[in-house]
Amino acid sequence: MIINDNFFMKLAIDEAWKYQLLTYPNPAVGCVVVKNGEILSIEAHKEAGMPHAEVNALKTAYLKKHPNDVIKTKRKSEDIHEYLIKNHNGFFNDCEIFVTLEPCNHIGKTPACANLLKELKPKRVIIAHDDTNKIASGGCETLKEANIDVSLGCMKKEAYELLFPFIKWSENTFVFYKMAQTLNGSIDGKISSNQALAYVHTLRDKIDLMVIGGNTVRTDKPTLDARYIAGRAPNVMIYSKNKIFDTNIPLFKIPNREVIISDDLFRLLDYKFVMIEGTYNLLDTLKERIDYLVLLVSPKIRKGENALNEIDMDFEIVHENFIGQEKIIYLKRKS
Amino acid sequence: MIINDNFFMKLAIDEAWKYQLLTYPNPAVGCVVVKNGEILSIEAHKEAGMPHAEVNALKTAYLKKHPNDVIKTKRKSEDIHEYLIKNHNGFFNDCEIFVTLEPCNHIGKTPACANLLKELKPKRVIIAHDDTNKIASGGCETLKEANIDVSLGCMKKEAYELLFPFIKWSENTFVFYKMAQTLNGSIDGKISSNQALAYVHTLRDKIDLMVIGGNTVRTDKPTLDARYIAGRAPNVMIYSKNKIFDTNIPLFKIPNREVIISDDLFRLLDYKFVMIEGTYNLLDTLKERIDYLVLLVSPKIRKGENALNEIDMDFEIVHENFIGQEKIIYLKRKS
């Protein structure tokens, strides 16, 4: 394997994917700090309101060489910024910073990363993808004006795929279809482990709207909350032509939850971040509307009702990962 | 992500998996050289008779800091050994060597790696798994006697999974079942890309015996050679109770190929490295005999005959990788 800019950027991209969709409404971003060839840190942005990837990576890198430094106790982005600007003492001058997205240039919930990097003066900043958000962009220029060597475009295609959900929900709506199955496409009974279910509940806690088929509501009477992580129950749209439901089931009883019963798919466009949960039947109906299929695959073969269906769809695998012993595969619909 | 011994060993393990099964009868082994925290090389053993992982990694590491050195022209293991022993000049004294398997201690087709490392005197050698092969083992002792700091057992479970096919074919027989399908388990028509087919042909070139179902031979009349890579056509066992076949089909016409028609599964034990190609029906019949399921997954959903079946099998995902835009998943049968 060749150890070059792509190698380090791939580490940053893979780290960011661990938090894909969970950073909403922010983009998933990863950052790697390399000092004289030595990797000091591989970090990511984990959740909106938490420090950006660069801040996490700069802090971890500094700690790697100063393990007992007081920066260990700093959690808030502005505190880490302030501390590093005062105490860096040239530490980053021989560092290369790999970041999957152009460092932000505006002061939002956290101070601007481009400004922090300008002060720390690393030897080089390698950026995979420019910022498509007009408010936050301009980081590249800020760095160049400070005479920092900036490279743009390393692994741009991979970084674009990482950024894609953010681009979609920033412009209008990002819709993903979540499905769980065995290796052979069987969907009967309990498929996923509790660890995978906790991940699904983490997603439910983040989304603006959850869509579910009317038949599933009638048959399974699901609550559709985020109890595994003590999270927020999402608003629900029951996709159904028949508008009559037993409203005594738990789904309808959760305070502050909105439930829509509709078969008008244009209503999805009122939301930015939509998850559909279902199996192959509903996928067939909604396939033109989805951006991603997020497929949880349990490593077993089971008899039972399965994926026998009339759908023809092509995807690109944009990422995959493990949740415990199960696979999660992120598939982008080819249109 | 924490950057520690496990991080570097994982790089070695993942590199080795790229050549899993292709190193037969040798084990798949990976090696990473780290000099003062900087990764200099990530290499693997690629094929029997070619240099071991350590030799590849030491050469690449040396070249990284001496890019125009004459070592570049050395291809044969003994030449690289000899050159490094003469010219290392202490280069590796501040290096840590991560290797997934205990360095070999005997002179086989290539000189002993333990001896080479003893001469190069790295700061530390980190070994994931001890060598189970009695002839080659003893590398650890050789290094310790030379006062090299040796750590054994880093990521041992992962290294064991990497080593598992080697352990099986060394002791008796390793059998894997190769299957291709779409995301939803459909097996109709041409599933795999040419790139994936070339990989299957590379496997066919390595194995001792290929097993195929009688119905497939009757219906598809496959040649079962390795033409995509201009490789050797494997010996074939047609698994069938009915012994009558049209021997005018190409399968029977390949010179120097043995074809057995049998339904006696004990005959598999006459071979060390066996691949079965088929779909869910044959898997159901042979499921008790297989060690691995090697599943090629094409990222599409297709209607058609699929995985609807009566099998209940549980697996552990031991590795997965990309072949172009498709997934290859290595599943170990849970018994």
Side-chain angles (χ1 to χ4, degrees), chain B residues 59-114:
Chain B
K59 174 184 164 183
T60 303
Y62 192 81
L63 262 177
K64 176 99 178 180
K65 293 293 179 187
H66 308 89
N68 295 316
D69 193 273
V70 70
I71 195 173
K72 204 173 189 169
T73 64
K74 312 279 179 197
R75 294 272 181 278
K76 285 170 69 182
S77 202
E78 52 266 44
D79 295 343
I80 302 168
H81 273 248
E82 193 188 330
Y83 187 86
L84 282 177
I85 287 174
K86 276 195 193 144
N87 298 283
H88 67 88
N89 200 17
F91 178 80
F92 295 98
N93 297 160
D94 53 6
C95 285
E96 294 170 297
I97 317 280
F98 295 81
V99 56
T100 61
L101 180 65
E102 186 179 357
C104 69
N105 203 36
H106 84 308
I107 297 163
K109 286 188 185 169
T110 62
C113 291

Side-chain angles (χ1 to χ4, degrees), chain A residues 67-80:
Chain A
N68 296 314
D69 193 273
V70 70
I71 195 174
K72 207 172 188 170
T73 64
K74 311 280 179 195
R75 296 272 181 278
K76 286 169 68 183
S77 202
E78 50 268 44
D79 295 343
I80 302 168

Side-chain angles (χ1 to χ4, degrees), chain A residues 54-159:
Chain A
E54 298 92 321
V55 177
N56 284 329
L58 293 166
K59 175 184 162 182
T60 303
Y62 192 82
L63 263 177
K64 176 101 176 179
K65 294 292 179 190
H66 309 89
N68 296 314
D69 193 273
V70 70
I71 195 174
K72 207 172 188 170
T73 64
K74 311 280 179 195
R75 296 272 181 278
K76 286 169 68 183
S77 202
E78 50 268 44
D79 295 343
I80 302 168
H81 273 248
E82 193 187 330
Y83 186 86
L84 282 176
I85 287 175
K86 275 194 192 145
N87 298 283
H88 68 89
N89 198 19
F91 178 82
F92 295 98
N93 296 160
D94 52 7
C95 285
E96 294 170 297
I97 317 280
F98 295 81
V99 57
T100 61
L101 180 65
E102 185 179 358
C104 69
N105 203 35
H106 84 307
I107 298 164
K109 284 186 186 170
T110 64
C113 291
N115 187 56
L116 174 58
L117 288 171
K118 193 178 80 175
E119 298 287 334
L120 302 183
K121 270 214 178 298
K123 189 169 73 176
R124 197 157 79 100
V125 177
I126 304 93
I127 300 166
H129 204 287
D130 51 309
D131 197 341
T132 56
N133 178 335
K134 285 203 182 95
I135 299 166
S137 70
C140 246
E141 286 314 307
T142 298
L143 297 176
K144 283 180 184 165
E145 283 164 14
N147 286 318
I148 294 168
D149 181 0
V150 178
S151 305
L152 183 66
C154 166
M155 297 208 100
K156 186 169 183 176
K157 149 81 176 142
E158 291 79 359

Side-chain angles (χ1 to χ4, degrees), chain A residues 47 194 197-206 224-234 254 257:
Chain A
E47 195 175 9
N194 286 346
L197 290 174
Y199 173 76
V200 173
H201 283 211
T202 308
L203 289 172
R204 285 182 182 172
D205 181 59
K206 299 289 180 199
L224 304 179
D225 58 10
R227 62 191 175 279
Y228 278 57
I229 60 147
R232 174 186 63 96
I254 293 176
R257 156 186 276 177

Side-chain angles (χ1 to χ4, degrees), chain B residues 114 224 262 324:
Chain B
L224 304 179
S262 173

Side-chain angles (χ1 to χ4, degrees), chain A residues 12-278:
Chain A
I13 288 173
D14 284 350
E15 189 65 17
W17 267 100
K18 295 181 186 170
Y19 304 93
Q20 180 63 285
L21 306 185
L22 305 180
T23 58
Y24 175 76
N26 288 350
V29 182
C31 182
V32 168
V33 176
V34 177
K35 189 179 172 84
N36 294 322
E38 180 183 0
I39 303 168
L40 294 189
S41 61
I42 305 170
E43 297 288 349
H45 178 48
K46 295 179 183 176
E47 195 175 9
M50 305 264 283
H52 285 182
E54 298 92 321
V55 177
N56 284 329
L58 293 166
K59 175 184 162 182
T60 303
Y62 192 82
L63 263 177
K64 176 101 176 179
K65 294 292 179 190
H66 309 89
N68 296 314
D69 193 273
V70 70
I71 195 174
K72 207 172 188 170
T73 64
K74 311 280 179 195
R75 296 272 181 278
K76 286 169 68 183
S77 202
E78 50 268 44
D79 295 343
I80 302 168
H81 273 248
E82 193 187 330
Y83 186 86
L84 282 176
I85 287 175
K86 275 194 192 145
N87 298 283
H88 68 89
N89 198 19
F91 178 82
F92 295 98
N93 296 160
D94 52 7
C95 285
E96 294 170 297
I97 317 280
F98 295 81
V99 57
T100 61
L101 180 65
E102 185 179 358
C104 69
N105 203 35
H106 84 307
I107 298 164
K109 284 186 186 170
T110 64
C113 291
N115 187 56
L116 174 58
L117 288 171
K118 193 178 80 175
E119 298 287 334
L120 302 183
K121 270 214 178 298
K123 189 169 73 176
R124 197 157 79 100
V125 177
I126 304 93
I127 300 166
H129 204 287
D130 51 309
D131 197 341
T132 56
N133 178 335
K134 285 203 182 95
I135 299 166
S137 70
C140 246
E141 286 314 307
T142 298
L143 297 176
K144 283 180 184 165
E145 283 164 14
N147 286 318
I148 294 168
D149 181 0
V150 178
S151 305
L152 183 66
C154 166
M155 297 208 100
K156 186 169 183 176
K157 149 81 176 142
E158 291 79 359
Y160 172 76
E161 296 304 345
L162 174 66
L163 202 59
F164 178 77
F166 169 76
I167 292 172
K168 286 287 293 184
W169 68 51
S170 298
E171 285 176 357
N172 35 63
T173 304
F174 175 75
V175 180
F176 70 102
Y177 198 99
K178 178 247 133 191
M179 185 157 63
Q181 66 172 46
T182 64
L183 286 174
N184 60 322
S186 175
I187 54 163
D188 269 9
K190 185 175 187 281
I191 303 288
S192 300
S193 66
N194 286 346
Q195 197 178 346
L197 290 174
Y199 173 76
V200 173
H201 283 211
T202 308
L203 289 172
R204 285 182 182 172
D205 181 59
K206 299 289 180 199
I207 52 175
D208 292 335
L209 181 73
M210 175 171 173
V211 179
I212 187 114
N215 287 340
T216 302
V217 173
R218 289 190 185 90
T219 313
D220 298 349
K221 301 183 179 60
T223 309
L224 304 179
D225 58 10
R227 62 191 175 279
Y228 278 57
I229 60 147
R232 174 186 63 96
N235 293 329
V236 170
M237 172 170 151
I238 302 173
Y239 180 77
S240 178
K241 287 196 167 40
N242 175 347
K243 305 294 183 293
I244 299 167
F245 286 87
D246 171 9
T247 54
N248 286 316
I249 65 174
L251 192 158
F252 292 94
K253 297 296 183 192
I254 293 176
N256 306 318
R257 156 186 276 177
E258 195 184 348
V259 180
I260 314 163
I261 303 170
S262 173
D263 62 340
D264 176 7
L265 291 174
F266 282 102
R267 296 196 67 164
L268 300 187
L269 302 179
D270 295 340
Y271 301 85
K272 296 216 153 282
F273 187 25
V274 177
M275 168 160 79
I276 310 173
E277 288 194 45

Side-chain angles (χ1 to χ4, degrees), chain B residues 21-32:
Chain B
L21 307 184
L22 304 180
T23 59
Y24 175 76
N26 289 350
V29 181
C31 184
V32 168

